[in-house]
Amino acid sequence: MNKISRPFIIALAVLLVLAALSMGLASTHEYGGIDGSLLFFDRDLSDSAFGWAIAIPILLLVGVIVMAVCAGAALLTVVALVFAALLTILALILAMTPFAVFLAMPVLAVYGLVKLFQRTSLHAV
């Protein structure tokens, strides 16, 4: 396929899908008893394919915007949860610091005494 015919075929396929979808929605709305209505300039176009052909791209755009907003909210939620988890771990580490110091003092004292006795025994020989 050349470079011109491919976008033309894709655009034609999109228009055909839009026309079929709008005709289908118009026919189901007319006979299916759907309560909603498409109002444009105080005219009810919910039973016409033209009204649905106008409404479908608007609904798709609104759907994309809502999806982007929801994805952004989910991303912010995940970032906030990760930040809260990191701060919780940091708080637990900081809460354990006095216990570590309390346990380290006798260990360091014993270590210092062992080194002191090793040093004096080396000088005595």
Side-chain angles (χ1 to χ4, degrees):
M1 288 187 163
N2 60 15
K3 294 180 181 178
I4 296 174
S5 65
R6 181 176 289 170
F8 180 72
I9 290 174
I10 292 173
L12 186 62
V14 168
L15 284 175
L16 286 174
V17 167
L18 180 65
L21 187 60
S22 62
M23 284 183 201
L25 286 171
S27 66
T28 58
H29 181 76
E30 185 177 356
Y31 299 113
I34 298 173
D35 295 349
S37 60
L38 297 172
L39 294 176
F40 291 106
F41 303 111
D42 294 333
R43 288 187 60 215
D44 186 14
L45 296 176
S46 56
D47 57 350
S48 72
F50 179 70
W52 283 105
I54 294 171
I56 290 170
I58 295 170
L59 291 173
L60 288 175
L61 180 66
V62 169
V64 167
I65 291 171
V66 167
M67 184 179 63
V69 168
C70 289
L75 181 67
L76 285 176
T77 303
V78 168
V79 168
L81 287 174
V82 168
F83 187 67
L86 289 175
L87 286 181
T88 302
I89 292 170
L90 180 64
L92 289 173
I93 290 170
L94 287 175
M96 291 295 184
T97 303
F99 298 114
V101 170
F102 180 72
L103 293 175
M105 290 301 227
V107 171
L108 288 174
V110 170
Y111 179 75
L113 284 174
V114 168
K115 284 295 188 181
L116 181 66
F117 286 137
Q118 282 180 353
R119 192 173 205 196
T120 56
S121 66
L122 286 176
H123 289 303
V125 174

